[in-house]
Amino acid sequence: MANLIVIGAQWGDEGKAKTIDYLTERSDVVIRFQGGANAGHTVIVDSQKFVFHMVPSGIMYPDKSCIIGNGVVFDAEQFLREVDELTEKGFSVEGRLFVSDQAHMVLPYHKALDQAAESRKSGVTIGTTGRGIGPAYADKAARTGIRVGDLRDWDAFEAKIAAAYSQKKDTIEKVYGGTLKMEPAPILEQYKTIKDRILAFVTDTSHFAFEASRAGKRLLFEGAQGTLLDIDHGTYPFVTSSNTIAGAACTGAGIGPCAIDHAVGIVKTYTTRVGNGPFPTEQDNAMGERLRKEGGEFGATTGRPRRCGWFDSVIVRKAVQTSGLTRLALTKLDVLNTFEEIKVCTHYEIDGKRIDQFPSHISLLEKVVPVYESLPGWERDLSGCRTIDDLPENARKYVRRLQELCYNVPILLVSVGPERRQTIEVDPV
Ligand code: GDP
Ligand code: IMO
Ligand code: MG
């Protein structure tokens, strides 16, 4: 398999981790390149379930390397929790899990700041995961962040924490009217305890990826969140604080674009969103409730119910355009098993005028009306299907129609269940 980037084509939770786990078998190195512990990536192998927030989803294969790249905002506590869980369950990460020394750290005060910003009385509420993502990326952009490599010089680290702490305290208390309950001393004590464990994973991951690629190893880049949560191309301000499109793999892993052979968009066969912001095909009704129940649509990070709606081809076309997708992976087709009729949004209308492209600014989204076509369901269990020919004709027609609506990008695979083996390969890379 060539080097490929896997990204979410909607608002996250498309089933990226399941697909990445599946594709890891024919890769050598799996690299997370953006986001942080806001991600909730579920991998289920032989009924054993892991939800990764920090560790790349390829870690289940004992002979593969995994990297947390420079573009990730690194949550050390969460990382160690996952390492411990993996080790307890018999998955050794020794010598094959690496963290970039350039990655910025998410510290406890970032989470407090995120939560204070979300609970303030005035202003826009994003509905964040509360994992400190926005404040950590804000520090990075302001050049006041603390990076993983800073743990190497403890005295300098202490001074940086002290400076950042008093600044965050002021913001939380004077700007947001909240209280910062933690003190710097216990934070420092905690990080002093874990620093050597963390440093054991730290390396120049950009160089590692470059050498791996030169040696003919296959790289798999694992995106988090989804295209419509991209800080530039998503439904700003209701977005996350990183670029989530394929281009971010280059900056977030420190590799050049010519090293990439394919960009795969993970596409749920209906649509979900967690948090606030526009969602044109949302079904805030019994149909949405049914999708949520059939799809088990509750956030893997926060447990929040996901908002559910019909497949929206307009947003997936945006993903094809912004990431140059060369394959689509369609997921959760089995969730639609019991539906007698399934709707797909083909385009929008504004004041009766046809709109095929996702509006580039949120102000233009207010008046869009989704236009649907109806397809007949298959009303059969798909979870045992393993080839495209096993699918009932109506399921095949549904897949074909989604592809047509998305610039006919070839389908890499169709997923019919959460387990690794519940995967139908269509057009491999
Ligand atoms: P990610 O953030 O894109 O990796 O996705 P999440 O792990 O947050 O959410 C996807 C959920 O759907 C998880 O609970 C997966 O186990 C589950 N899942 C993935 N693919 C399929 C599928 O094809 N069918 C079903 N029924 N569940 C799936
Ligand atoms: P994965 O990788 C779905 C959403 C939050 C909120 C917005 C900003 O599992 O697909 P943040 O905490 O990032 O500042 O929140 O982004 N969000 C996600 N939604 N899946 C995710 O990750 C998400 N990560 C963030 O709900 O609306
Ligand atoms: Mg998720």
Side-chain angles (χ1 to χ4, degrees), residues 13-18 40-42 44 300 306 331-332 334-335 415-418:
D13 303 325
E14 297 92 348
K16 296 178 291 295
K18 186 227 145 143
H41 290 179
T42 316
I44 305 179
R306 294 176 182 148
T331 64
K332 304 192 87 161
D334 56 299
V335 171
S415 175
V416 290

Side-chain angles (χ1 to χ4, degrees), residues 11-238:
W11 275 288
D13 303 325
E14 297 92 348
K16 296 178 291 295
K18 186 227 145 143
T19 313
I20 285 155
D21 167 72
Y22 180 82
L23 295 172
T24 300
E25 192 184 357
R26 56 195 88 156
S27 312
D28 299 295
V29 185
V30 183
I31 310 173
R32 275 264 328 249
F33 54 88
Q34 46 72 229
N38 48 351
H41 290 179
T42 316
V43 176
I44 305 179
V45 186
D46 299 332
S47 306
Q48 198 171 21
K49 176 174 167 178
F50 281 91
V51 181
F52 299 114
H53 303 283
M54 271 282 108
V55 171
S57 304
I59 200 76
M60 309 290 281
Y61 295 80
D63 54 336
K64 313 291 181 178
S65 299
C66 288
I67 288 179
I68 297 180
N70 59 274
V72 170
V73 280
F74 181 72
D75 185 327
E77 296 164 62
Q78 181 59 37
F79 173 77
L80 292 179
R81 268 196 292 277
E82 289 172 31
V83 166
D84 289 342
E85 190 192 344
L86 282 160
T87 313
E88 267 163 39
K89 293 189 174 158
F91 296 87
S92 169
V93 301
E94 192 72 38
R96 63 188 191 92
L97 178 59
F98 305 98
V99 180
S100 166
D101 53 1
Q102 292 163 235
H104 280 251
M105 296 182 78
V106 178
L107 289 148
Y109 50 72
H110 289 127
K111 294 178 196 174
L113 195 54
D114 189 359
Q115 288 153 20
E118 287 285 283
S119 27
R120 73 192 189 277
K121 306 237 165 4
S122 57
V124 176
T125 306
I126 309 297
T128 71
T129 59
R131 297 298 173 103
I133 306 302
Y137 276 118
D139 274 359
K140 175 177 176 174
R143 291 152 295 171
T144 53
I146 301 180
R147 304 198 290 176
V148 175
D150 292 335
L151 283 169
R152 293 190 185 113
D153 181 346
W154 184 251
D155 290 343
F157 185 82
E158 269 188 339
K160 283 180 180 149
I161 291 272
Y165 174 85
S166 65
Q167 192 228 339
K168 301 307 177 227
K169 190 173 167 65
D170 275 357
T171 311
I172 290 173
E173 298 185 351
K174 296 184 184 150
V175 179
Y176 296 140
T179 6
L180 180 57
K181 296 201 181 81
M182 65 194 66
E183 289 297 323
I187 302 177
L188 283 167
E189 210 170 297
Q190 186 194 3
Y191 278 79
K192 197 167 195 170
T193 319
I194 62 176
K195 117 180 137 55
D196 290 339
R197 272 195 83 191
I198 298 294
L199 285 172
F201 293 96
V202 170
T203 194
D204 177 347
T205 52
S206 161
H207 184 245
F208 184 101
F210 179 70
E211 289 300 344
S213 183
R214 257 168 35 101
K217 302 243 193 275
R218 299 151 302 176
L219 311 180
L220 177 55
F221 297 88
E222 173 176 4
Q225 291 81 52
T227 300
L228 279 298
L229 288 171
D230 182 284
I231 191 162
D232 288 295
H233 301 285
T235 46
Y236 191 93
F238 301 100

Side-chain angles (χ1 to χ4, degrees), residues 361-396:
H361 192 276
I362 195 168
S363 57
L364 305 170
L365 256 179
E366 275 160 23
K367 286 167 69 185
V368 303
V369 178
V371 178
Y372 296 102
E373 72 182 30
S374 278
L375 284 97
W378 41 92
E379 299 183 76
R380 255 183 57 192
D381 179 17
L382 303 186
S383 55
C385 295
R386 293 293 175 271
T387 71
I388 198 84
D389 296 329
D390 293 343
L391 291 177
E393 195 182 346
N394 283 352
R396 264 181 285 144

